[in-house]
Amino acid sequence: MDAELMEIRQHMSQFPPFDALSEALLEDLAGHIEVRYFKTGSDILLLNADVDEFCYIRSGAVEVYRRQGDLYNRLGEGDIFGHFHLLRDHVVRFPARAIEDTLIYFIPDAVFQRLCDADEHFADFVELERPRLETAAEEQREANDMMVTRIRRLLSRAPVMVGVETSVQNAALKMSEDQASALLVTEPCSEDTQRCFHNGHEMCRIRGIMTNSDFRTRIVAQGLPAQTAIGDVVSRALISVQADVSIYEAMLAMLRNNVHHLPVLHRQRPLGIVHLSDIIRYETHSGLYLVSNIFSRLSVEGLARLAPDVRAAFVRMVREGANSQMIGTALSTIGRSFTRRLCELAEESLGPPPVPYAFMVNGSMARNEQGIVTDQDNALVLDNAFDPEEHDDYFRRLATFVSDGLDACGYTYCKGDIMATNARWRQPLDVWKGYFREWINEPTPETLLHSSIFFDLDSAYGEAGLVEQLQDLITEQAPRSSRFLAAMARNALNRTPPLGFFRTIVMEKDGKHNNSINLKRRGTAPMVDLIRIHALACGSSAQNTFERLDDIHQTRLLASGVSDKLRYAFEFLCMSRLRHQAIDIDKNRNPDNNIEPENVESSERHTLKDAFQVLSNAQKFLKFRYPMAGGQTERR
Amino acid sequence: MLPIRPRQKTVRDDWAAYMRARADAARDAAVKRYFATPLPSWDTPITDVPMAALDMETTGLDERRHAIVSLGVVPFTLARITPARRRYWVVKPPRTLFASSITHHHITHSEIAGAPDFDAIINELLSLIAGRIVVVHFRNIERPFLEAAVRARRGEGVMFPMIDTMSLEARLYRQTWWARFRRWLGRSPVSIRLNASRSRYHLPLYQGHHALVDALATAELLQAQVATHYRPETPLGDLWC
């Protein structure tokens, strides 16, 4: 190319996907663009117009809308849009408007096709956007909906259950009466509470599931008599999910195990059976790409390459007005999916585990409150049959594999070494029970720190029952130990909201982030601590802060209206933090927990102060409620 | 800052009649062809006017003592600038007068040494801008230099209507009561140079002093000016001079 168009070529060569183009292709591209200026507020692409080119933003800012007119995306210098239309039918599906004075480079379809043909990376880049756009445009609901909505929502009725002694004929009759396409077969069970539930008459457990097609293949095709006991033919390999998993996780469980019926349990009690069609009815076929991508990756490197997608998903959720609970749940689901996939990969390379285990996640991931700036807190709960001499080598290697993998995927190592790689946090269930009893009965400053991390706990992979037993132990013992609660309360008062003497906001002065407020340290974290104590005191087993507030609200622990105030304040602090992180990512800065007052609009500043005041008042109440905490003066 | 000093009256009341008369009188074939190609009339809406942004680098500011070194032309309309149809020429000044003034442009001696004389590009230049309204930023360079350079080689010069983005800026920022009030207060006047003007419309900063880049920049500026202060239906006659 003649040197004269360097201005155009130089600019485009800095931005993806053009930054990876060969010189020859870049030259072809820069030589064929057309230019137009758009005043703020003017339309660039009109819905349903014919298009034969896509757009590159040379300067300015553009908003892209969905068909219904709501915002889909906001783009700036170096971004492209409109390429999706060229991949489909050359009709504008996503209209675009300049929201600043904007200079657009138009790239003709012929050049677009040449780039797609000649450059695989370019083709990937423009096509990967496509399923996201389809999802966004063709669904009423948000793309992340399947990730945050729990599977229990799709349950319409209790499962049909019969005992193992029932004849296959009676079982078939019951299915016909109830118009069910599957039933659960139960058997009585003795003392093994870990896998049992009470069905109203007796303790029992699920032996297996019988589906319509099982009746065909296991009974009729085999020519078995009608009086055969159903327990003799039932399929024993039971694939089930907990009621709390997302619809997406449930769908993946079905796809990975090639089953169409999925019993949904709360602990061990079956709540219902979900059929694949229920999910398909709920969600159009487009689906969500991120979580399924996680489970399709074959290596740690492959997983690590998804980290930018996680950030992009996060920024999109913030932009689209998701609340903190949705975002926290979605990011936690993604984090658990990474964890789970890494466990699977570890087992693939190390072989099956010598004893059952649960990969336990703690902290924000367990609370479903994960943000984008996060480190890993995890541990291994092993079956009591664990023998350190014989088995620890396996689990140490598994823990190292998962922990290194998480780090590669953007979940940095825990500074406090609360990870399964630490031998202390890789113990059989009985040892863990001992830990928790000791922490509750003899709290010390160190164990209190552990309590605030480990008392938020959930299973990410393996035998969930192992972790559930620890949850039960906490729910049962913590409310009884007023000494423990008081010590926790004292601890929770160590971090105060940044309210100054005259209720003005006080900045952190820690050198690195001068004139900023750490919203996590001074806001959300003390709030989580405080609410956890009240929740423990009233025997709540909830892990999520909002759910804990619901449980607290059921009791008369707090004055009327206080839990609502805490909820609003917590939501506001969380969203402020998430919004600022999204802005950081947008501006190519490393997201952190700090907000700078100059970036806070004055209306937000006032609300922030109000939120901190709610926290401050709640801390005063905590001090009053647990007088042992009174010895400590509130630090400012 | 370039001195703004109109040295000749360049505004024609009836460009169409002038063009016809020149077509009849012209002896040089290329010049005749140029004037015989009709231009859009003064009442054509600007949105329908085919245009060509033109910029040149010279060895100095006086067409009698200095010469053209390079030219860039970018055809465009209000809807689209088409760099694919751009033309750019480096030409050799007739006299060895560029040694002292090489700082005005970025063109190297060796480039100029190998370049043709301006005469070699006249035919192509005129056929490229025929039927199009030429858009420049500060016509008091382009217009006299083109006139003098063509006259020196073909015996007759070229004059044609132009849209001058600098004078459009001057109308907005130099000739209003507000601008006079500012001057009365002793404030320095708003800059109407190319990059300063572009920044008022949030157009990106380009590396200046390349005839083709400046031509592109001028085309973008006109689109921005019309989008901001005029309408697509604004008649051409309101803008040209």
Side-chain angles (χ1 to χ4, degrees):
Chain A
M1 182 179 63
D2 32 3
E4 318 68 272
L5 278 181
M6 280 307 279
E7 200 60 60
I8 292 167
R9 176 203 177 112
Q10 199 64 27
H11 194 266
M12 300 190 85
S13 71
Q14 293 167 30
F15 293 90
F18 312 110
D19 55 350
L21 289 183
S22 71
E23 291 294 304
L25 287 173
L26 198 57
E27 189 176 307
D28 181 32
L29 170 72
H32 286 94
I33 62 120
E34 297 189 1
V35 186
R36 179 164 183 186
Y37 177 87
F38 291 89
K39 184 87 198 126
T40 305
S42 50
D43 292 315
I44 300 172
L45 296 178
L46 283 168
L47 184 64
N48 294 333
D50 292 335
V51 276
D52 208 24
E53 53 206 349
F54 76 104
C55 304
Y56 172 89
I57 303 173
R58 173 59 177 80
S59 63
V62 170
E63 278 183 353
V64 179
Y65 305 92
R66 293 200 180 84
R67 203 174 312 204
Q68 300 84 354
D70 39 339
L71 180 64
Y72 169 64
N73 211 347
R74 188 170 288 155
L75 303 167
E77 181 173 343
D79 285 330
I80 60 172
F81 62 96
H83 47 294
F84 164 65
H85 309 122
L86 301 186
L87 291 165
R88 285 190 72 183
D89 47 7
H90 294 233
V91 171
V92 174
R93 307 272 177 211
F94 298 90
R97 182 180 304 146
I99 56 165
E100 288 173 15
D101 293 345
T102 296
L103 195 63
I104 295 288
Y105 291 170
F106 291 91
I107 302 157
D109 188 31
V111 176
F112 178 78
Q113 301 301 344
R114 284 205 291 276
L115 290 172
C116 284
D117 291 345
D119 191 283
E120 204 175 319
H121 172 264
F122 182 87
D124 279 355
F125 185 92
V126 293
E127 276 173 18
L128 273 180
E129 192 87 7
R130 187 165 49 171
R132 297 180 213 174
L133 288 163
E134 277 174 350
T135 308
E138 283 156 23
E139 279 177 20
Q140 287 273 309
R141 314 187 61 88
E142 296 295 345
N144 48 46
D145 198 83
M146 284 237 300
M147 262 160 55
V148 297
T149 307
R150 299 178 194 274
I151 189 68
R152 60 170 171 250
R153 173 147 174 216
L154 296 192
L155 297 175
S156 48
R157 60 168 177 186
V160 178
M161 290 193 276
V162 297
V164 278
E165 307 304 329
T166 313
S167 72
V168 293
Q169 182 172 22
N170 284 339
L173 270 174
K174 192 160 169 54
M175 278 174 77
S176 300
E177 276 167 25
D178 292 341
Q179 297 189 357
S181 64
L183 54 72
L184 294 175
V185 180
T186 61
E187 63 186 355
C189 85
S190 48
E191 293 310 303
D192 183 9
T193 53
Q194 207 182 313
R195 290 188 171 79
C196 296
F197 66 96
H198 202 265
N199 72 356
H201 312 288
E202 56 177 340
M203 291 301 285
C204 61
R205 67 177 160 214
I206 304 173
R207 172 79 162 268
I209 187 170
M210 281 296 287
T211 66
N212 272 344
S213 65
D214 288 336
F215 271 88
R216 188 180 66 235
T217 57
R218 289 168 181 262
I219 299 165
V220 182
Q222 308 292 327
L224 295 182
Q227 293 313 308
T228 310
I230 197 159
D232 294 341
V233 294
V234 70
S235 140
R236 280 165 182 272
L238 184 73
I239 308 296
S240 64
V241 292
Q242 290 292 309
D244 271 345
V245 306
S246 67
I247 294 176
Y248 207 80
E249 284 176 280
M251 189 175 89
L252 288 170
M254 289 182 179
L255 296 176
R256 274 188 291 163
N257 297 293
N258 196 25
V259 295
H260 291 167
H261 292 87
L262 195 61
V264 177
L265 315 181
H266 175 67
R267 303 282 167 94
Q268 296 309 316
R269 171 182 299 280
L271 299 180
I273 301 173
V274 167
H275 189 261
L276 185 58
S277 62
D278 297 328
I279 291 178
I280 291 169
R281 203 174 307 128
Y282 179 79
E283 163 64 2
T284 59
H285 49 274
S286 53
L288 222 153
Y289 65 101
L290 190 55
V291 170
S292 69
N293 256 348
I294 291 174
F295 285 106
S296 67
R297 297 290 153 138
L298 302 174
S299 67
V300 176
E301 295 72 39
L303 285 171
R305 278 199 292 276
L306 292 174
D309 293 4
V310 178
R311 289 196 162 197
F314 166 75
V315 172
R316 202 161 50 239
M317 279 187 278
V318 174
R319 274 185 194 152
E320 290 178 353
N323 63 28
S324 76
Q325 213 173 349
M326 288 169 67
I327 296 170
T329 309
L331 288 177
S332 302
T333 302
I334 291 168
R336 283 158 200 260
S337 302
F338 274 117
T339 310
R340 198 177 279 195
R341 184 65 188 141
L342 284 164
C343 287
E344 289 173 358
L345 290 172
E347 285 189 11
E348 268 172 34
S349 85
L350 298 173
V355 296
Y357 72 98
F359 199 92
M360 176 163 81
V361 292
N362 303 92
S364 61
M365 200 189 285
R367 290 199 308 275
N368 275 326
E369 288 167 17
Q370 194 150 59
I372 197 75
V373 181
T374 190
D375 54 2
Q376 33 176 307
D377 296 307
N378 51 51
L380 275 175
V381 184
L382 309 165
D383 190 275
N384 282 332
F386 172 75
D387 173 6
E389 296 284 304
E390 232 182 296
H391 307 137
D392 192 52
D393 186 54
Y394 178 92
F395 289 109
R396 186 181 48 74
R397 286 161 64 190
L398 179 131
T400 308
F401 184 95
V402 176
S403 184
D404 290 351
L406 284 171
D407 183 64
C409 296
Y411 304 83
T412 51
Y413 296 113
C414 172
K415 290 180 200 77
D417 207 16
I418 306 231
M419 291 185 291
T421 47
N422 183 339
R424 195 175 165 198
W425 310 132
R426 193 171 65 236
Q427 295 292 341
L429 181 62
D430 280 348
V431 174
W432 276 107
K433 285 183 172 169
Y435 285 166
F436 278 86
R437 282 198 196 98
E438 189 192 320
W439 295 340
I440 292 171
N441 296 329
E442 285 151 54
T444 68
E446 196 215 352
T447 63
L448 284 167
L449 281 180
H450 293 150
S451 303
S452 66
I453 295 167
F454 282 114
F455 280 37
D456 300 329
L457 72 172
D458 204 1
S459 166
Y461 185 76
E463 290 285 325
L466 293 168
V467 176
E468 282 158 13
Q469 292 193 53
L470 292 175
Q471 289 173 338
D472 290 344
L473 183 148
I474 296 167
T475 314
E476 197 185 313
Q477 305 229 338
R480 294 189 203 152
S481 173
S482 55
R483 186 157 154 258
F484 168 72
L485 291 173
M488 288 277 279
R490 186 166 54 211
N491 219 36
L493 294 174
N494 276 344
R495 292 185 290 192
T496 57
L499 287 168
F501 196 65
F502 294 104
R503 290 195 58 203
T504 51
I505 290 177
V506 176
M507 304 302 153
E508 305 282 342
K509 291 287 186 190
D510 60 359
K512 198 178 175 195
H513 290 288
N514 270 345
N515 296 321
S516 68
I517 298 165
N518 188 312
L519 268 183
K520 185 183 178 194
R521 194 164 54 212
R522 308 292 295 271
T524 55
M527 195 80 107
V528 166
D529 287 348
L530 179 135
I531 292 165
R532 183 193 299 111
I533 293 162
H534 290 319
L536 287 173
C538 50
S540 159
S541 62
Q543 299 293 321
N544 178 269
T545 300
F546 289 103
E547 287 167 15
R548 283 172 172 164
L549 276 170
D550 289 343
D551 287 353
I552 295 167
H553 187 72
Q554 300 301 314
T555 70
R556 304 261 158 167
L557 185 80
L558 299 178
S560 80
V562 172
S563 61
D564 280 343
K565 273 188 186 160
L566 282 171
R567 177 188 310 275
Y568 294 136
F570 186 64
E571 171 68 20
F572 186 79
L573 290 171
C574 287
M575 278 321 296
S576 290
R577 185 175 149 217
L578 296 174
R579 258 199 315 272
H580 280 85
Q581 290 173 345
I583 291 170
D584 282 340
I585 292 174
D586 255 0
K587 299 201 166 159
N588 268 328
R589 296 190 295 247
N590 259 340
D592 59 23
N593 293 314
N594 292 298
I595 58 165
E596 297 77 25
E598 62 264 28
N599 295 335
V600 180
E601 283 179 29
S602 75
S603 60
E604 189 184 0
R605 205 174 308 169
H606 288 297
T607 319
L608 262 183
K609 272 204 252 179
D610 293 344
F612 285 134
Q613 193 61 51
V614 169
L615 171 59
S616 180
N617 292 344
Q619 288 191 333
K620 280 180 199 144
F621 174 75
L622 197 69
K623 201 155 50 169
F624 159 79
R625 179 86 168 54
Y626 299 99
M628 264 183 77
Q632 186 125 348
T633 51
E634 200 175 327
R635 262 194 266 151
R636 294 255 182 225
Chain B
M1 179 66 213
L2 298 171
I4 302 172
R5 47 190 170 97
R7 282 170 300 184
Q8 55 199 115
K9 169 107 177 109
T10 52
V11 180
R12 303 263 163 178
D13 289 334
D14 186 358
W15 280 110
Y18 170 79
M19 299 282 289
R20 274 195 304 275
R22 290 291 313 269
D24 290 343
R27 295 175 305 277
D28 181 80
V31 174
K32 197 178 185 73
R33 257 199 316 278
Y34 171 79
F35 282 112
T37 311
L39 284 174
S41 61
W42 68 271
D43 58 349
T44 311
I46 187 64
T47 189
D48 294 335
V49 173
M51 296 177 276
L54 182 148
D55 188 77
M56 58 176 64
E57 306 283 307
T58 58
T59 57
L61 299 175
D62 186 342
E63 77 278 6
R64 286 160 297 189
R65 296 191 295 120
H66 299 119
I68 297 169
V69 179
S70 64
L71 285 102
V73 178
V74 181
F76 75 110
T77 65
L78 214 52
R80 286 307 164 82
I81 301 165
T82 45
R85 300 167 65 192
R86 72 197 180 273
R87 283 298 290 146
Y88 175 70
W89 302 273
V90 174
V91 292
K92 182 155 57 181
R95 288 149 283 183
T96 52
L97 41 69
F98 52 90
S100 60
S101 52
I102 201 80
T103 50
H104 281 269
H105 48 75
H106 67 197
I107 297 163
T108 61
H109 282 83
S110 60
E111 266 183 280
I112 291 174
D117 183 80
F118 184 76
D119 188 63
I121 72 159
I122 290 176
N123 293 2
E124 198 188 345
L125 171 66
L126 290 181
S127 72
L128 187 59
I129 62 175
R132 295 180 172 273
I133 297 295
V134 168
V135 179
V136 299
H137 193 77
F138 191 43
R139 65 184 181 279
N140 290 332
I141 295 285
E142 273 77 5
R143 193 172 267 172
F145 267 91
L146 269 183
E147 157 81 13
V150 176
R151 182 182 299 280
R153 287 160 183 86
R154 303 286 164 100
E156 49 195 326
V158 286
M159 286 283 282
F160 42 79
M162 286 180 164
I163 292 175
D164 181 356
T165 51
M166 182 190 264
S167 90
L168 292 183
E169 281 302 276
R171 282 191 211 171
L172 294 159
Y173 296 100
R174 289 282 172 82
Q175 290 153 19
T176 60
W177 68 267
W178 173 243
R180 290 184 192 126
F181 180 65
R182 272 177 61 98
R183 218 170 307 153
W184 181 76
L185 287 175
R187 305 269 181 82
S188 56
V190 172
S191 169
I192 52 176
R193 296 183 72 175
L194 184 56
N195 261 331
S197 300
R198 283 171 59 84
S199 70
R200 277 192 286 281
Y201 301 90
H202 308 106
L203 283 163
L205 188 73
Y206 285 167
Q207 289 295 322
H209 297 300
H210 185 293
L212 194 68
V213 174
D214 282 354
L216 175 64
T218 303
E220 292 170 1
L221 176 59
L222 183 75
Q223 284 189 341
Q225 287 170 326
V226 174
T228 307
H229 304 294
Y230 302 90
R231 286 170 303 113
E233 309 84 52
T234 300
L236 172 60
D238 285 4
L239 300 170
W240 76 13
C241 47

